[in-house]
Amino acid sequence: MIILLASIFLLGLVVGSFLNVVIYRTLHGESPFEGRSRCPHCHRTIRAVDNIPLLSYILLGGRCRRCRAYISWSYPVVELLTGVLFVWWFVAGSAIFRLTQYPFVHLQPLFWLVIGLLLLVVFFTDLLYGVIPDVIVWILGFSALLYRVLLTMGGIMQPADFWYSLVSGVGVLAFFLGLIAITRGRGMGMGDAKLAFVLGLILGWPRIVVAIFLSFSLGALVALLLLAIGKKRFGQTLPFGPFLVVGTAIALVWGGQLWSSYLTLLF
Ligand SMILES: [Zn+2]
């Protein structure tokens, strides 16, 4: 069991290393599938031995071997988080993935793993560069629609639920567009609105409400903390994508319980 989990963690590290390439190249308009990795500073090709996930970063002390420039902390963190995501997905999956009917027995875990990886990419592109790449939002939205259509066709999901998830997405989009109009785009951007629409499709009703509520609460909390320790000045904005991603992750796992406790509080 330990060997199996260790292998899954290592696989996650390798995939995380690829996600780093996706994050960097998507934002620099390059294909993630072309050419070898290069140092962002000296542009020299990174040798295979210096490109081992996590380990190379530690051994090189977080610097490029050639030009000694510091390598972003985000590289090992993305790798580590992807490794943890893989192990969590494998261990907690048996409790979450309950569809036993072919092909959903394979499709359900695969779908959620892909969604998890794409959301990890969005978290870091927005945190590091303030950008939510359209291409990632398109893939997220297309996968969610396709998955829901397949579930409905397979008789696992009621057609009404399919329409609920679509309406949830449109409702959230309208909410964000309203916010952008009121704040004149100083807080949220169109990237946030498009991502929120797609998250509505992924989460459906009522989880999307939990996710949005959590994102705003976390965003406000972190903004206050940063103001308090003097890291940010009043009026400076934070990227909102990372909060949407964290809110979504919490809503996916505990959304049902959180929603029923809200209702208990209200009535
Ligand atoms: Zn270098």
Side-chain angles (χ1 to χ4, degrees):
M1 191 63 183
I2 294 290
I3 293 173
L4 181 64
L5 287 181
S7 322
I8 287 171
F9 180 69
L10 288 179
L11 182 66
L13 289 185
V14 173
V15 172
S17 169
F18 177 68
L19 289 189
N20 277 321
V21 177
V22 171
I23 292 168
Y24 184 83
R25 296 199 183 169
T26 306
L27 293 163
H28 294 80
E30 299 163 29
S31 162
F33 300 103
E34 276 168 35
R36 299 274 312 276
S37 289
R38 288 167 186 281
C39 166
H41 301 277
C42 63
H43 298 286
R44 275 182 286 204
T45 308
I46 297 168
R47 295 187 306 168
V49 68
D50 290 340
N51 211 3
I52 304 163
L54 215 54
L55 200 66
S56 294
Y57 186 87
I58 298 167
L59 291 179
L60 291 169
R63 285 161 177 256
C64 169
R65 184 186 289 277
R66 305 284 183 78
C67 69
R68 307 300 298 156
Y70 280 106
I71 301 161
S72 169
W73 55 268
S74 67
Y75 287 88
V77 169
V78 168
E79 284 158 3
L80 189 64
L81 280 177
T82 312
V84 171
L85 174 73
F86 265 63
V87 172
W88 179 85
W89 168 83
F90 186 77
V91 172
S94 51
I96 297 170
F97 310 129
R98 293 215 179 101
L99 299 181
T100 48
Q101 187 187 329
Y102 185 80
F104 296 103
V105 62
H106 304 304
L107 210 55
Q108 190 188 27
L110 184 70
F111 172 74
W112 288 112
L113 185 64
V114 169
I115 295 292
L117 295 176
L118 291 171
L119 289 179
L120 200 69
V121 170
V122 168
F123 182 98
F124 280 95
T125 55
D126 204 15
L127 182 73
L128 298 171
Y129 305 93
V131 173
I132 300 174
D134 273 340
V135 57
I136 305 286
V137 175
W138 272 106
I139 300 172
L140 275 169
F142 184 73
S143 321
L145 266 183
L146 185 68
Y147 183 63
R148 293 220 178 261
V149 166
L150 288 173
L151 282 176
T152 310
M153 279 167 52
I156 292 166
M157 199 173 150
Q158 297 300 316
D161 288 333
F162 176 77
W163 293 113
Y164 274 143
S165 75
L166 210 59
V167 170
S168 306
V170 174
V172 174
L173 180 66
F175 174 69
F176 272 79
L177 290 180
L179 271 181
I180 292 171
I182 292 168
T183 59
R184 292 163 199 265
R186 286 187 62 239
M188 306 285 160
M190 277 310 289
D192 298 307
K194 285 184 269 185
L195 177 64
F197 168 70
V198 164
L199 293 178
L201 289 183
I202 294 169
L203 291 167
W205 179 271
R207 281 191 154 82
I208 183 63
V209 182
V210 177
I212 300 292
F213 179 77
L214 286 171
S215 323
F216 277 95
S217 313
L218 284 170
L221 197 70
V222 171
L224 283 175
L225 277 174
L226 290 177
L227 273 176
I229 60 172
K231 281 268 183 188
K232 286 265 173 187
R233 277 174 289 110
F234 196 75
Q236 271 185 309
T237 52
L238 287 173
F240 195 60
F243 298 110
L244 280 172
V245 171
V246 173
T248 298
I250 299 174
L252 268 176
V253 183
W254 294 292
Q257 286 117 291
L258 285 171
W259 178 250
S260 31
S261 44
Y262 283 152
L263 292 183
T264 328
L265 277 177
L266 283 174
F267 298 111

